[in-house]
Amino acid sequence: MSYEVERKYRIEDIGALTDRLRALGGEFGQPESQRDMYYAHPSRDFAHTDEALRIRRIGDEAFITYKGPKIDPASKTRLEIELPLMGGLNGASDHARLLEALGFRPVAEVSKRRRKADLTLDGRDFEIALDDVESVGTFVEIETAADEADLEEAKSCLGTLADKLALQDGERRSYLELLLLDRSDRAT
């Protein structure tokens, strides 16, 4: 089983982050637009079980992703299953219709501009994503993949990278949670 081992941080000074990343040998690429439609399960509350199901659109490509519950209190480590959808955007629309026919309902769409960097540190591969999330803010996510036997080492390496990038005060809530919180705050 493959786990996504991730930490996320709100970013105020993008220039300083970019400089620290460059000093480690990483460089953010060109921005890409991502639109993630999240779905509610017809018979269980994903907010309560800490799971997520989404369809992501990036350009002409689309993916369906399941994220299991977070398995520790410090990081956002969780089982992740992501599959490409055949047919690109048409395939995404067809899969959305299928989910809705099965009783899943759309909850919200998270839109962001993402710039990615790949980095290898101490023999481990990381993906670093700088995200400008509509109605939520600017964040950096650092992540690596691990199997069950490698989880503790992966989390330790993630912490080391966060320290080298001078990242503090991690955010465990998802962009969806932050977006829904923002909406509820504006409604009151």
Side-chain angles (χ1 to χ4, degrees):
M1 242 189 282
S2 182
Y3 288 85
E4 172 189 65
V5 183
E6 174 187 313
R7 288 189 183 181
K8 174 171 45 194
Y9 303 85
R10 190 174 291 275
I11 295 298
E12 303 295 330
D13 188 345
I14 295 170
L17 171 66
T18 301
D19 291 343
R20 287 188 291 271
L21 178 62
R22 194 174 291 127
L24 294 173
E27 187 77 36
F28 286 116
Q30 293 300 309
E32 64 183 17
S33 293
Q34 295 185 352
R35 291 182 16 229
D36 298 340
M37 179 57 73
Y38 285 86
Y39 290 87
H41 194 283
S43 62
R44 72 179 186 245
D45 182 354
F46 280 167
H48 179 72
T49 62
D50 194 26
E51 297 170 281
L53 180 68
R54 72 169 183 231
I55 293 178
R56 171 172 284 174
R57 293 170 173 88
I58 307 170
D60 293 334
E61 297 181 305
F63 304 85
I64 189 164
T65 307
Y66 165 78
K67 293 189 176 213
K70 295 177 200 90
I71 64 171
D72 72 58
S75 70
K76 293 183 60 189
T77 301
R78 56 189 357 178
L79 172 67
E80 180 180 77
I81 302 168
E82 183 167 80
L83 304 170
L85 296 177
M86 300 293 288
L89 298 182
N90 288 336
S93 295
D94 291 343
H95 279 81
R97 285 194 350 258
L98 173 65
L99 289 175
E100 290 176 36
L102 291 171
F104 289 81
R105 64 176 177 72
V107 173
E109 184 174 77
V110 174
S111 296
K112 63 181 171 278
R113 301 276 295 161
R114 172 170 275 184
R115 294 175 58 202
K116 290 193 260 185
D118 293 319
L119 180 70
T120 301
L121 185 66
D122 298 329
R124 180 172 288 279
D125 294 328
F126 293 92
E127 181 179 285
I128 297 115
L130 180 61
D131 293 333
D132 182 16
V133 185
E134 190 175 301
S135 300
V136 176
T138 303
F139 295 83
V140 65
E141 292 183 349
I142 56 175
E143 72 176 62
T144 189
D147 60 26
E148 202 164 340
D150 190 37
L151 277 175
E152 292 310 313
E153 181 184 335
K155 289 189 273 186
S156 175
C157 290
L158 204 67
T160 298
L161 177 57
D163 290 344
K164 289 179 184 280
L165 293 172
L167 300 171
Q168 299 175 351
D169 302 323
E171 175 59 70
R172 289 190 74 235
R173 293 172 292 184
S174 69
Y175 293 139
L176 175 62
E177 289 171 296
L178 294 169
L179 178 67
L180 295 176
L181 180 63
D182 177 67
R183 287 182 181 172
S184 71
D185 286 348
R186 283 190 277 145
T188 56

